[in-house]
Amino acid sequence: MNINLSRAVWTALSLAAATSGVAEAATAVMAATVRPAAVITGSYVDITSVPSTNVVYIGGSTAIDAALKYWAFNTGDTSVLCQSGTATVYTSTVTPKFTAVACSASGATGLTGISAGTLVAYIKEDGAGSLNGVAAVQNATFSGSPYTTGGALKFPDITAMTTSACTGATKSGTGLQTYYNATCGAVTVVQIVPMMGYSDVEGSLFGIDTNANVGSTGLPLLSGPTVQIPFGVAVNTGLYRALQTVQGLTTNDAVANMPSLTRTEVSALLSNKGNFWDQYKNTSGAAVSAQSVVFGSASGKCWNGTATTTVVPCSAATPAAPDVFICRRGLNSGSEKAAEIYFNDYNCGFNTVPFANYTDNATTAVATGCGATVGTDGCSWSTSYATTNSQVFPGNGTGDLLDCLVGHDQAGQLAIGFAAVDNLSGGDNSKSTRQDWRYIRLDGVVPSIENTAAGKYPFIAQAFWYATPTTATWSATAAGANAATLVTYLTSSTQGVGSKGSVVGVNKASVMATQGFDGGVLVIPSATNLPLTNTSVAADFAASPVSSVTKATTATNNCIRPQLYNQTTNSSVTNGNYSWAGPN
């Protein structure tokens, strides 16, 4: 059962708790250092200047990162959080991994206490996966990294995110305000119980009772749906080109030449039931692993048949090994759960087969390099895992999975994985070392948001947000009324992540120009967000990207296949024969 409170009730609970004295007593771990809240107009906000009482700490899903990040400064939502020209995005791929946004509030939000010019920020930890967005918010106790007693997670100390530690440049993108994009090195770690979190799937799939009381509050977690996330099967560039060759396709990135695998084939590969590429052949019987392969070179390295080189073009007579190398996620990942459900019915059915785990590796390099909790938490990618032929790598974030694909490409190996399609592939990815991979078709269907919304592409998850019922449980965060108000805004059905306006903006920034299809996320259909009729065209869908399918009966259930949304209470067409333009 999902608990949904109105924004007014949520705010009243939060403000009451914030003034009760309980929250103040819970901030002993990290003092509430309030910095000058100067009004900054027309310039990018330095997060070190944001008052700690105006910062929201978020745990959980890395698949939601793009949608969450762009939500604050997209141009599709008239009530967007950030004042134009003030947003700074911070990311770090070293411990503590995180994505953060700081800006000057626009004043268009209508939020009590957060007027135009108020400095605000939110920080999303990327240390693991969706489980962090449920268990840690509930203040459960887990052992092993990244958990500590009390469910605290590893966040960056914002006072350490200085211009010397985090450097970058201005950036712009379709559907986005111009922003400052900063990359951080290692900064000081603070352990904080997050105020809210995101999960790609419901908490019950992790064995968590989200209706249990949180701490001493006597209240369960607040929760609600966020977005529908389409996932794609991702392969490294070498495998992409090899599959094109055996399928008789031109070896370029045009969507018309996107290769395909079936759901059954992908299931066998990820389950380690077909661990050699030799079985994938063309009509003449030539195997994928026997093809002359052109590996990628955007990362600066590629395999020439005998060694890794920086000389391009880079072509090898054959791959370095015939093995299927698997780039997956740890068991705390909602993306992992969603993939296991779709391909194997695992987590939902009886007598089902799990994906291959790191224990199936040819060596113990991954287990040794990442510690005893690697199977649950996943770990950061290291190029040594490719050179030691670790067949299965469990990443603790989407970025680690993508780095795994690229790392195997650099080593001349063929690798497969999966990722939410708001992660940009090929040359569209802003990180040059993360461009040597591509999405493929699944059962012949391109993983576009149009195909997903029309019910043609069923590899999706319906995501959740979770939040503590009062600020009293936000220990170590120095949370105040403004932070509580920001949480209500982030989770609002009309203004939060997943609202129609924000999804429009996110999708404009998620176009796979290199591969020629539209990525992003979808609005979950409801009485207030109806799917378009079958007379709709591409422009209409771009302005109203509402899915025609849902994983909800009376409450979201990610174990069921996507079902056409029931519109019997309105006049909209229900046959699902949508005609908007797009690759198929």
Side-chain angles (χ1 to χ4, degrees):
M1 176 179 176
N2 296 317
I3 307 299
N4 291 286
L5 273 68
S6 71
R7 180 178 167 191
V9 173
W10 209 134
T11 303
L13 280 172
S14 299
L15 295 180
T19 56
S20 68
V22 179
E24 287 84 342
T27 61
V29 178
M30 188 178 79
T33 305
V34 180
R35 300 167 191 84
V39 176
I40 300 178
T41 304
S43 59
Y44 304 107
V45 170
D46 184 338
I47 198 169
T48 62
S49 66
V50 179
S52 58
T53 50
N54 292 8
V55 181
V56 174
Y57 292 88
I58 305 171
S61 164
T62 57
I64 198 75
D65 277 5
L68 178 61
K69 176 176 68 176
Y70 297 145
W71 166 81
F73 54 93
N74 73 79
T75 58
D77 193 342
T78 55
S79 60
V80 71
L81 176 65
C82 295
Q83 193 175 103
S84 182
T86 67
T88 299
V89 174
Y90 296 85
T91 56
S92 178
T93 57
V94 295
T95 303
K97 298 179 181 180
F98 61 87
T99 298
V101 175
C103 68
S104 181
S106 67
T109 61
L111 297 175
T112 302
I114 303 178
S115 56
T118 302
L119 301 188
V120 293
Y122 56 88
I123 303 175
K124 163 69 177 49
E125 61 82 30
D126 289 334
S130 291
L131 184 58
N132 280 1
V134 189
V137 179
Q138 197 180 46
N139 203 17
T141 300
F142 285 77
S143 61
S145 177
Y147 302 104
T148 61
T149 300
L153 302 178
K154 294 179 180 178
F155 285 93
D157 180 350
I158 63 173
T159 64
M161 294 167 62
T162 61
T163 53
S164 59
C166 306
T167 59
T170 57
K171 189 176 179 181
S172 61
T174 304
L176 302 176
Q177 302 172 4
T178 300
Y179 62 101
Y180 190 85
N181 192 49
T183 301
C184 303
V187 297
T188 305
V189 175
V190 291
Q191 292 187 297
I192 295 172
V193 176
M195 304 168 185
M196 63 171 293
Y198 291 96
S199 177
D200 300 334
V201 296
E202 57 269 36
S204 60
L205 287 172
F206 293 105
I208 297 174
D209 180 5
T210 55
N211 290 315
N213 291 344
V214 177
S216 60
T217 64
L219 297 170
L221 287 170
L222 300 174
S223 69
T226 53
V227 293
Q228 208 171 84
I229 305 176
F231 287 89
V233 176
V235 301
N236 61 357
T237 304
L239 177 55
Y240 193 84
R241 302 297 183 220
L243 286 173
Q244 286 178 315
T245 299
V246 299
Q247 292 175 14
L249 302 168
T250 302
T251 53
N252 61 25
D253 286 333
V255 70
N257 294 309
M258 182 185 289
S260 181
L261 290 173
T262 67
R263 174 174 174 249
T264 300
E265 288 170 334
V266 175
S267 171
L269 293 168
L270 295 178
S271 307
N272 207 18
K273 301 302 180 183
N275 58 354
F276 295 98
W277 289 114
D278 292 350
Q279 65 195 80
Y280 297 91
K281 302 177 180 179
N282 63 16
T283 54
S284 300
V288 168
S289 59
Q291 299 302 312
S292 175
V293 178
V294 177
F295 291 99
S297 58
S299 63
K301 299 177 182 178
C302 59
W303 178 257
N304 67 4
T306 57
T308 298
T309 180
T310 57
V311 178
V312 293
C314 196
S315 181
T318 59
D323 304 78
V324 172
F325 291 92
I326 300 170
C327 301
R328 50 160 285 181
R329 296 286 305 283
L331 298 180
N332 63 9
S333 163
S335 299
E336 179 72 19
K337 296 286 186 187
E340 290 172 344
I341 290 169
Y342 178 71
F343 289 108
N344 287 9
D345 288 321
Y346 194 69
N347 306 301
C348 298
F350 294 100
N351 298 319
T352 54
V353 177
F355 283 180
N357 208 344
Y358 74 97
T359 52
D360 294 330
N361 294 346
T363 73
T364 59
V366 170
T368 302
C370 296
T373 61
V374 58
T376 299
D377 298 334
C379 64
S380 299
W381 171 259
S382 167
T383 54
S384 66
Y385 303 148
T387 57
T388 52
N389 292 325
S390 297
Q391 188 180 347
V392 183
F393 171 76
N396 65 7
T398 301
D400 294 304
L401 187 154
L402 302 180
D403 287 341
C404 171
L405 292 174
V406 173
H408 283 299
D409 199 82
Q410 293 174 350
Q413 299 162 346
L414 307 177
I416 188 170
F418 47 86
V421 297
D422 57 353
N423 291 280
L424 298 179
S425 65
D428 298 310
N429 197 299
S430 60
K431 190 173 181 179
S432 62
T433 58
R434 200 173 278 171
Q435 295 181 351
D436 292 338
W437 65 277
R438 306 287 188 272
Y439 293 105
I440 64 171
R441 295 176 190 254
L442 184 58
D443 287 320
V445 182
V446 175
S448 66
I449 52 173
E450 292 90 348
N451 285 339
T452 306
K456 300 176 183 178
Y457 184 84
F459 184 14
I460 62 172
Q462 207 150 285
F464 284 80
W465 60 263
Y466 290 95
T468 52
T470 72
T471 56
T473 59
W474 295 352
S475 61
T477 61
N482 284 347
T485 301
L486 281 173
V487 172
T488 69
Y489 185 59
L490 279 157
T491 58
S492 164
S493 62
T494 57
Q495 296 173 299
V497 178
S499 63
K500 187 182 293 185
S502 73
V503 170
V504 167
V506 167
N507 290 351
K508 286 181 180 178
S510 303
V511 175
M512 238 69 64
T514 297
Q515 291 199 262
F517 74 94
D518 295 330
V521 295
L522 292 168
V523 178
I524 299 170
S526 66
T528 54
N529 285 311
L530 295 174
L532 298 175
T533 69
N534 63 351
T535 58
S536 303
V537 295
D540 294 331
F541 176 73
S544 186
V546 181
S547 181
S548 69
V549 297
T550 180
K551 284 202 166 192
T553 48
T554 54
T556 294
N557 179 0
N558 275 290
C559 282
I560 66 173
R561 300 296 179 196
Q563 306 291 311
L564 277 175
Y565 180 67
N566 187 341
Q567 301 183 48
T568 56
T569 57
N570 59 69
S571 58
S572 296
V573 176
T574 61
N575 62 13
N577 294 320
Y578 293 86
S579 61
W580 56 70
N584 54 47

